[in-house]
Structure formats: structure tokens, C-alpha cells
Amino acid sequence: MLTKFIKIFITCILFLLLLVGLFFLLIVTAQQNPEKAEDVNVRYTKKPPYLLAAKSCYAAVTWDLGFATRGAGVDFYFDGGQTSRPPYDSVTQWLAGIENYLASMDSADFILLQEIDRLSKRSYNIDQRRIVNSLFPLHAHCFTNNHNVFFVPLPFRQPYGAISAGMETLSATYPMESTRHALEKGGGFFKRPFMQDLCCIVNQYRLRNGKTFVMINVYNAPSSSETELQRLTQSIVSLMITEYEKGNYVMAGGNWGVTPLAASDAAFAISDTTYFNRNALLPESLPSGWKICLDPNHPTVRSMNTPYQVDSTPVAITDFFVVSPNIDVLETKTVPMGFRYSQHNPVGITFRFR
């Protein structure tokens, strides 16, 4: 009797191991394998002009939307909290807030967005890209996926499920080129298939003086290790310097995943640097004349290990712009939204070309 029980037990274990192996094989074979550089499909409702408009100054804004799942009232499981999927009513409320703010930015020349869901369980399969694009019928839309996973089994009590998400650059001018530049993917053997395929969107725009403006949309996953974040940052800096040496104007903005500030440099309290380590490599790796443009008066990101509390939640600045020497920056300003709709606040910049 005991022998029969042991055989049944071993059979069950082997069957479970087979299921786990088949699941992992499916995840591995289903993951995307992007090339180092790929063309991005440029979409539009009404085709924008090819030449950048002659203006005294230009405006750009960057915002990590957090998939409309990370408003002020929740924490996040993978950042030490409990929540993997907020209630549907919360997601739709935060998405409506995101829509309202973006609608007010329709006059911006460039809009850089990160963490946009297309068909993901966490945001109830709402196609956020379609909603965002409907707000900007006069802009060119350059979207690329950076996270496609068939199924994330964690947390076991409420699995994260399927993920299809990406980032997007919108512009009032049609880009001469829009390219997805793949960055090195982190994670170990078993973790890597579930990780994001990190990348940046590089758009080139023709100015009326015949020169080229290169706008880079940046997203470095904050969940990456400090070493990985430094390597990702250095890859983007190298790309910017290469473009500048060609005689181009260059700007990169987005969620860098690191802060270039020491805690003492901010006008607000950074209560816990465990979550937001300073990356001294970024300012040290930039040649003379390059500028890191941020607003030291307001944080752009909060910790997600607990719901947001004004006086106790760790905050920092990881959303900012890096600008080449041939661009004059007139103003950089963070919109202090109190993280109502995302774990990030938007950042705007006004600039002109020399």
C-alpha cells in the first residue's frame, strides 16, 4: 500500500514538473527577440508637416503613465507591496485623469510617454495606446512594444497574467526616421523571459536650416540592478554623443530609473535612499557643455511599497531631460500632481536651437 502511494506521489511530482517545464518553454519561445535597431511604424490621423515649424521656442513633456494602475491609493507587489491588480474602477478613474492632463498638452511639440498598456490583464485589457492617440489627431505617433509576456504567474494569489505594453513618442512634426534601439536585457536565466525588452525610441526631425534634431524617448526599468541601470544609462549617453558628433541637436527625456541628484541637492526630503540610489555615472560621463535638465523643487517618482503618504513615502527625481550643448534650455518644470494617476509626475521642458 505504501509503495503504491509513493509511486502515485512521484508520478504527480513528475507531472507537475512536466507542466512547469512546458510552461517555461512556451514563455521562452513566445518572447520577442528584437534586433539591435528596428524601424518604428509612424502612424497618424492627419499627416503632420515634414519640417519642424520655425518658432522662437519649443516644448516637450515626458510622463511615465504607470499603465494607469499605480495611482496614489495603491502599492505594488513587485516593489514590496501587496497589490498586483487594482480594482477596475480605480484603473478607469486614473486613466481618465491621465487623459484629461494629456488633452491639455495638445500644443506640445513633443510628448514622450512610457509604460502604456495595450492588452494586459493588470489594466483589464484596455487599449491605452488607442486612447492616447485619439487625443492627438495632428501628431505623428511612434509606438513600440517593450514588454510582451504570455503569462506572469506571480503573485500566486492573483497572478499578474498576460502583458502587452510599450512606450510612445508623439510629435507635431513627422519624423524623417523613427528607430527602436534595443538595450541589453537583464535578469537571470529563469527571470529573463519575464523581463522587459528595454529600448529607447530615437526620432530624427528636419529643421528648416537643414540640420537634424534627434529626440530620444528613454525608459530604464527601475527594477533593474544598479549595475544594469548604469550600463543602460551609458548606452544611451554613448548614442547621444554619437549623434551630436554628427552635427545634430540632441535631447533625451523620460524615466531614467536613476536620479542624478544627491539627496542634499533636492528642495524636498528624500527620506529613504534605499529605493533611489544616486547614479553619479550620468553627470560624470557627459562631456563639457551637456546639461541634465530637471526641476529640483518637486519629485517625479514615488516608492510603491506602500500607498502614497505625503509625509512618509520615499520620493526622488528619475524623470528628466539630457540636452546637447547646442540647445538652450529656457525652463524645466515638474507638474506636482501628487502622484494621483501614476507613480510618476509629468516633466515639461522649453528650449530653443542655437
Side-chain angles (χ1 to χ4, degrees):
M1 184 71 181
L2 182 60
T3 303
K4 183 178 180 181
F5 174 79
I6 293 175
K7 289 182 178 179
I8 294 174
F9 177 75
I10 293 175
T11 301
C12 290
I13 294 297
L14 292 175
F15 181 70
L16 288 175
L17 289 175
L18 177 62
L19 289 180
V20 171
L22 289 174
F23 170 75
F24 189 76
L25 179 62
L26 178 61
I27 294 294
V28 170
T29 54
Q31 66 179 326
Q32 60 183 13
N33 295 294
E35 299 292 334
K36 182 63 178 177
E38 297 179 344
D39 291 338
V40 175
N41 187 22
V42 183
R43 303 172 185 270
Y44 53 87
T45 302
K46 181 180 179 181
K47 195 168 189 177
Y50 280 100
L51 289 177
L52 198 63
K55 301 170 63 175
S56 59
C57 63
Y58 301 85
V61 62
T62 180
W63 195 11
D64 186 323
L65 305 184
F67 315 110
T69 63
R70 301 179 186 176
V74 296
D75 55 20
F76 183 46
Y77 174 82
F78 292 100
D79 285 351
Q82 301 294 321
T83 306
S84 63
R85 191 189 194 201
Y88 176 80
D89 289 346
S90 295
V91 172
T92 54
Q93 177 184 349
W94 297 330
L95 185 56
I98 289 171
E99 288 182 67
N100 288 336
Y101 175 73
L102 288 178
S104 70
M105 297 302 300
D106 62 348
S107 61
D109 300 286
F110 307 95
I111 303 169
L112 314 180
L113 304 177
Q114 305 87 38
E115 293 197 329
I116 305 171
D117 264 344
R118 294 194 64 190
L119 291 171
S120 300
K121 180 181 178 181
R122 62 190 166 198
S123 56
Y124 300 88
N125 294 317
I126 299 172
D127 189 346
Q128 297 172 3
R129 186 191 72 165
R130 180 185 59 79
I131 293 173
V132 168
N133 289 351
S134 69
L135 301 173
F136 300 98
L138 302 181
H139 283 62
H141 312 145
C142 302
F143 179 91
T144 186
N145 280 87
N146 62 8
H147 203 189
N148 282 298
V149 180
F150 174 73
F151 187 81
V152 178
L154 297 176
F156 293 121
R157 60 177 177 80
Q158 190 181 51
Y160 211 43
I163 297 175
S164 176
M167 55 196 296
E168 184 164 33
T169 298
L170 302 107
S171 58
T173 305
Y174 194 90
M176 296 186 301
E177 292 184 16
S178 182
T179 308
R180 180 192 196 278
H181 279 260
L183 302 173
E184 186 175 347
K185 190 171 184 176
F189 178 77
F190 290 102
K191 188 177 180 181
R192 184 183 297 265
F194 300 96
M195 298 288 286
Q196 294 165 324
D197 296 292
L198 295 177
C199 63
C200 57
I201 301 175
V202 181
N203 280 9
Q204 297 189 21
Y205 301 93
R206 179 69 68 189
L207 277 67
R208 293 183 180 274
N209 62 5
K211 293 188 176 182
T212 300
F213 173 49
V214 179
M215 175 63 89
I216 304 175
N217 188 345
V218 174
Y219 175 75
N220 290 342
S223 58
S224 300
S225 69
E226 184 176 356
T227 301
E228 288 174 346
L229 283 170
Q230 290 183 348
R231 186 167 59 248
L232 293 170
T233 301
Q234 188 58 55
S235 296
I236 298 169
V237 169
S238 297
L239 175 61
M240 295 184 70
I241 293 174
T242 298
E243 290 296 336
Y244 176 66
E245 290 176 346
K246 296 177 183 177
N248 299 330
Y249 301 98
V250 186
M251 177 179 292
N255 175 10
W256 294 76
V258 294
T259 177
L261 286 182
S264 58
D265 294 332
F268 52 89
I270 299 178
S271 57
D272 188 346
T273 57
T274 303
Y275 295 95
F276 309 108
N277 291 320
R278 181 182 180 227
N279 184 0
L281 175 66
L282 179 56
E284 291 174 358
S285 63
L286 291 171
S288 176
W290 287 76
K291 298 174 282 290
I292 298 175
C293 304
L294 49 78
D295 180 355
N297 298 308
H298 303 287
T300 71
V301 63
R302 72 169 179 99
S303 167
M304 288 291 295
N305 65 329
T306 64
Y308 180 61
Q309 299 293 328
V310 176
D311 298 325
S312 60
T313 299
V315 293
I317 294 175
T318 63
D319 306 78
F320 51 88
F321 292 86
V322 178
V323 180
S324 61
N326 51 0
I327 296 177
D328 292 322
V329 177
L330 307 179
E331 183 183 43
T332 307
K333 189 174 181 60
T334 297
V335 181
M337 286 188 168
F339 308 105
R340 288 194 301 273
Y341 312 123
S342 170
Q343 81 275 33
H344 291 261
N345 285 325
V347 180
I349 188 171
T350 306
F351 62 95
R352 64 189 174 201
F353 304 109
R354 289 182 183 175

